[in-house]
Amino acid sequence: MTKGLDRRTFLRGTIGAGGALLTAASRHAAAQTPPAKSTWTVAVSLDASGLDPAKFGGSNNTDGKLNHIMEGLTDSEGPDLKLVPKLATSWRRQADPTVWRFQLRKGVKFHNGQEFKASDVKYTLDVYQGSANKKNNMRFIQGVNVIDDHTVDIVLKQPTQLILIDLSRLFIVPEGAHRNAAAFAAQPIGTGPYQFVSWTRQDRMVLKAFDGYWRGVARPQNLILRTIPDATTRVAELMSGGVDIVAGLDSEQAKAIQGNPRTELVALKGGILINLNFNLSKPPFNDVRVRRALNLAIDRKLITETILGGRAVPATGPFSRGFLGFDTTLAPYPYDPKQAKDLLAQAGLGGGFKAVWEPDSSQIGARDVAQAIAGQFKAVGVEVELRFIDPIQQAKNSDVGTFEGLSSGYWGVQSDPDRYLNYYFLKPFNSIPRVTTLIQAAREQQDLPRREAALKAVGLATREEAQIIELYSQDLLFGRSKDVNFDAAVTNMGYQYNAWYDYSSLPSLQS
Amino acid sequence: MIVRLMQAIGALLGAALVGFVLLHGSGDPTYAILPPDTPEAVRAEYRQTHGLNDPLPLQFGRYTMRLLRGDLGESLVTQEPVARMLGAAIPATFELALAAQLLGIAVSVPLGCLAAYRRYRNPGSRVDAAATLLFTAGQALPTFFVGILLILLFAVSLRALPVSGRGTPAHLVLPCISIAVFIVAVLGRLTRTEMLEALREDYARTARAKGLSEVSVLWHVLRNVLVTLVTMVGLEFGGLLAGAVTAEFVFAWPGLGLLMLQAVAQRDLPVVLGALLFSACMVIMVNLAVDLLYSLVDPRIRRGERA
């Protein structure tokens, strides 16, 4: 959630100019087709906080690296983020609905040669009970009972199938790993496709393919994850052949990459959902007519096609593709300023009103979009004061409801929207009783089709209540060298939690 | 000396206090450290554990007491001792800053002397005009902009040097030049002005009248302006560190500046404060060292004759 400082604003212009210059420079760069690579180098913006998942994780920068070394019992795969088995091969809810039995995969080895067993699952989840960074994913877990070497019962605090999603982010470590916690943190061990080689803070993490990986040996043989905070430098590294994959691009940099014969653009379509949120405890946003009016006052097509250069699609409901409950039958809100004015008049605000909006400015184009929306609001008589405040304070205000009227935020697409709903729809200042009841009912559904149907009902209800201002799903842009087979849309790691290797070199988990 | 030492300690505590107040006013670090949807109870527990709920004076007092024992605390993000993190980053910054400083001096002093000499001989000198233009441009161009231009030319177009990172001597070239450009501008301009003035002094004319070669005259004159140049090197050390921070960001150079920028973004207060204090310490020590250097470059000071 760290976002633009003034320094960044200062740099933004340079990055834009740098993108244009890169395009020009790339025309002079020699086009070469190097042989298939045994080493891929990836450039990301932030380093991992640490390597012990019991102390770190829950953030993209850390989990997005640890997920190469370690695995959970489940995972999600493909553009639709389908739930798939990983270290567990199957699972079944028991007669007691708070108990789930997991059959564990046999023949799996940790990088130190130790066999993966039920005791490792129990050990890991017991350790995670005390971890601040794992509170979200451990929220339902009461404890673990080992049935035999390859069977565990996970006991929950309440019946829910959300445990299957939560387990995908709970990476299993070998039993007793923390007997020498410092050694484990310095040389982390898991069952994942890559084993740890070295890590220099703020510089690079080096991994190598694990020969004993249960799905086969991943390609490439060596993986280097470099930390390069400046986006222009990341792109220049790609252009010069210094790295093979870069993340976190804006549209100018995307153009530079497309203009280079050696590189190409990879888009994770709609990888990040952007919405505008009301403080429903404050008038006039407690009036559904006002909320609908503001939804109708925005020309999403104009924003997504011009400001965002076609790198976003207008939202159709509160969810985007990938979320369970995404409703393909819903259309975006129409742009209808006349109806918006009528609704405001019906709400007794025909003369317009003033409001304050604290925009999130961390995402690509967010500041320009905020200015455009403020202009469109003004056209229906709503004068919005944009307050670009410190990003950390903005995140806090948005979380605890200490913002005046409007706030905006983003959410990386995940296979189940529960945490997203929890954040944007269930707090005292952003909840509506009818929708809350539906969300709770959806949580109680114990199988996937029913939960999906219940979530669609939630989506419809939030639309009827205009609980949020639905904006757009924005693409996450990556650049890659043409000689590496990187696909951004293959794992649930979604928002920068990528598999930074050739995912097709391993058998699909869906088969 | 004792007075200087007391002043240095005061300056350090002042830097710590300013950093402390500014950082604490910049938001709740749990929003930079923990996942966005972390429950408030967990955030509260985190703040309690790290003493972030205590009144600011109490937190500062505690920090100062630990500081006096030589303990810089632990990073909120990595949970590592700050001293260890600084220790890992400082060699990279030293390497970069030292190389940039040496390159800056190696280019600026001869260029400044040459420009001054040519100007002295011929007021319409083109060499002098070109050097002056270079000095002005160097001061006007921000380090990050120079850095990006260098990357585009030497790394992307010519593929002669690596774009970023640290490892081989080749990695040092571009970040070093991007910082040295500013040093050349400042020191070069000063050398030119001081030399030009000194060349017109009576003692220079006398030396020439005594039949000394032009090179000997220049050396004679240069020794007289060294005190000023050494002073400027000391005064500009803070600027050198600032340039290093920017260059480290642009070139992903894993030093103190990069560590500090990432720590600011993550509101990792102990790391930012540790880096700030170290930088302040370095500036103070360099200025003390400059005072000592005076006596080496100016025999009058050695003999206590300084006016």
Side-chain angles (χ1 to χ4, degrees), chain A residues 249-265:
Chain A
L249 306 176
D250 67 20
S251 50
E252 279 302 314
Q253 291 154 350
K255 277 183 206 160
I257 283 168
Q258 283 175 313
N260 185 305
R262 291 184 62 257
T263 59
E264 58 195 355
L265 195 68

Side-chain angles (χ1 to χ4, degrees), chain A residues 1-2 5 7-8 10-11 14 18 21-22 25-26 28-30 32 45-46 49 55-59 61 132-133 135-136 201-204 226-230 232-233 236-237 239-241 262 390-393 395-396 399-400 411 419 423, chain B residues 26-29 31-40 42-43 45-47 77-80 85 142 144-145 148-149 151-152 155-157 159 161-166 171 248-255 258-259 261-262 264-267:
Chain A
M1 295 282 279
T2 54
L5 304 168
R7 175 182 53 78
R8 287 196 178 179
F10 184 54
L11 284 173
T14 313
L21 284 167
L22 281 168
S26 68
H28 299 285
Q32 295 170 352
S45 61
L46 277 172
S49 303
K55 289 168 83 177
F56 306 101
S59 61
N61 48 319
N133 288 284
K135 291 284 182 198
N136 294 314
R201 269 197 194 281
Q202 310 292 338
D203 186 18
R204 67 191 59 210
R226 283 192 57 194
T227 304
I228 302 180
D230 184 27
T232 305
T233 309
E237 279 282 18
M239 299 288 196
S240 69
R262 291 184 62 257
D390 174 80
I392 300 292
Q393 192 58 45
K396 181 168 187 171
D399 181 34
V400 299
W411 202 267
R419 284 174 62 180
Y423 191 78
Chain B
S26 67
D28 182 348
Y31 281 87
I33 294 162
L34 297 174
D37 57 339
T38 300
E40 177 50 31
V42 178
R43 290 188 192 280
E45 190 184 323
Y46 188 95
R47 284 191 290 265
V77 176
T78 67
Q79 300 174 30
E80 270 188 61
M85 293 174 74
F144 74 88
F145 186 71
I148 289 170
L149 290 180
I151 286 173
L152 292 175
V156 177
S157 287
R159 297 206 176 194
L161 291 163
V163 174
S164 67
R166 180 178 180 234
H171 284 94
E248 286 182 10
F249 178 76
V250 171
F251 292 96
W253 186 267
L258 197 56
L259 181 72
L261 285 177
Q262 302 264 9
V264 168
Q266 295 177 305
R267 302 296 192 272

